[in-house]
Amino acid sequence: MTTEFQPGLVIQGFTAPLPLSRFKVIAFDMDSTLINIECIDEIADAAGKKAEVSAITEAAMRGEITDFKDSLRRRVALLKGVPATFLEQVWTERLRLNPGAETLLAAVHAAGLKSLLVSGGFTFFADRVRDRLKIHRAQSNVLGINAAGLLTGEVIGDIVDGAEKKKQLLLACEQAGCTPAESIAVGDGANDLPMMGAAGLSVAFHAKPKVREQAMVAINEGGLDRLLDVLR
C-alpha cells in the first residue's frame, strides 16, 4: 500500500508514524543526500569534462550502469592531472549540506542512534561532512594524488559500491548490538539500494525513480528533517 502521508512525503508498506526509539542505527549516502552536489562532477568541472563525467554519474545513479566500480574508475580516470587543490575549492565554494541534515542528525543522536556515512564518493569530503555533522563513522573512497599534487586518475584501495554499503550497514548494526530491522538507510541512487534493502526502514531522498519505487519512505519535497514526520 502506497500513501502520500503528507504532501511530498510518500510511504509504503507500513503505517506512520513509527517510534524513533525502535531504531538503533542510521546510515546515509553522501552525495545528493547529505550534501547538495555530486562531488566527482564538480571536480570534473576543473578538467572541462563535467558533461562527460555527469552523464556517467547519472546513468549509474539511475541504475542503467550496473557495475558501479567500473563506472567510478571510468569517471576518476577522466580526472587525471586535475590539481588536488581543486578539492578544497569544491568544498569551500560549491558543497553545502542539504536542508534538514543538521536537524535530522541532531534528533537521531539525541535519541541514541549510531550514525554512519557510507559513500561512493571521496574521503576528502566524506570525512569533513562526518565531522561537521558529528556522524560516528564514515566509509568512502580514496583519490590518488601524486607528489606534484595532481590527481592520478585512480582510486586507491577497495571501492565502496552498493555491496560495500550494505556490508558497512550490517557491520554498524553488529557493533551497535542490534538487528538490521532496527536500522534506517537513506539514499538517492541505485548504489544505495542494497543497504536500503537490508535496513528496517528505507528512505529515498529526492531520489531517482527506481529508488523511490523501492523505498518505504520517499521524501520528494523539502529537507531531510521531513523524516521526523514519520518518526516520533
Side-chain angles (χ1 to χ4, degrees):
M1 180 182 69
T2 301
T3 305
E4 188 166 41
F5 182 60
Q6 295 174 6
L9 186 62
V10 178
I11 64 172
Q12 58 182 347
F14 71 98
T15 301
L18 294 172
L20 182 55
S21 59
R22 72 178 283 181
F23 299 102
K24 306 300 181 187
V25 168
I26 186 165
F28 294 93
D29 171 52
M30 180 176 70
D31 293 49
S32 297
T33 300
L34 283 174
I35 64 174
N36 64 322
I37 60 172
E38 294 286 334
C39 292
I40 192 167
D41 295 356
E42 302 306 314
I43 299 168
D45 210 12
K49 296 180 179 179
K50 184 172 182 178
E52 190 176 352
V53 171
S54 294
I56 301 172
T57 300
E58 278 293 307
M61 293 303 98
R62 289 194 300 264
E64 295 167 5
I65 298 176
T66 55
D67 188 340
F68 178 83
K69 290 184 178 181
D70 178 65
S71 79
L72 184 64
R73 290 190 186 101
R74 285 165 55 193
R75 285 176 284 164
V76 170
L78 293 169
L79 305 181
K80 184 175 181 179
V82 173
T85 54
F86 197 69
L87 302 178
E88 183 68 37
Q89 189 175 339
V90 170
W91 170 260
T92 303
E93 299 179 5
R94 307 189 183 198
L95 187 151
R96 300 291 181 268
L97 295 177
N98 269 330
E102 291 173 299
T103 300
L104 176 57
L105 264 299
V108 298
H109 288 157
L113 277 71
K114 295 296 184 182
S115 54
L116 168 69
L117 187 166
V118 58
S119 172
F122 307 116
T123 53
F124 181 91
F125 305 103
D127 290 353
R128 293 178 177 207
V129 171
R130 174 200 64 199
D131 294 345
R132 185 168 173 182
L133 290 171
K134 299 180 174 60
I135 292 172
H136 294 106
R137 185 167 65 85
Q139 191 80 17
S140 58
N141 297 308
V142 181
L143 281 173
I145 301 173
N146 65 24
L150 303 177
L151 301 186
T152 65
E154 299 173 320
V155 180
I156 306 302
D158 294 335
I159 289 176
V160 176
D161 61 357
E164 183 64 22
K165 288 190 175 196
K166 177 181 177 179
K167 179 181 176 181
Q168 292 297 324
L169 172 69
L170 297 178
L171 175 61
C173 291
E174 181 181 336
Q175 292 173 339
C178 71
T179 68
E182 298 171 281
S183 70
I184 303 167
V186 187
D188 75 300
N191 65 325
D192 298 315
L193 287 172
M195 74 168 180
M196 291 170 66
L201 183 67
S202 55
V203 182
F205 180 71
H206 293 259
K208 301 297 182 286
K210 181 178 180 179
V211 181
R212 292 199 305 266
E213 291 165 6
Q214 297 184 45
M216 297 169 68
V217 178
I219 302 171
N220 301 322
E221 298 175 11
L224 281 161
D225 55 337
R226 295 209 67 192
L227 182 58
L228 297 175
D229 294 333
V230 177
L231 302 170
R232 302 285 175 82

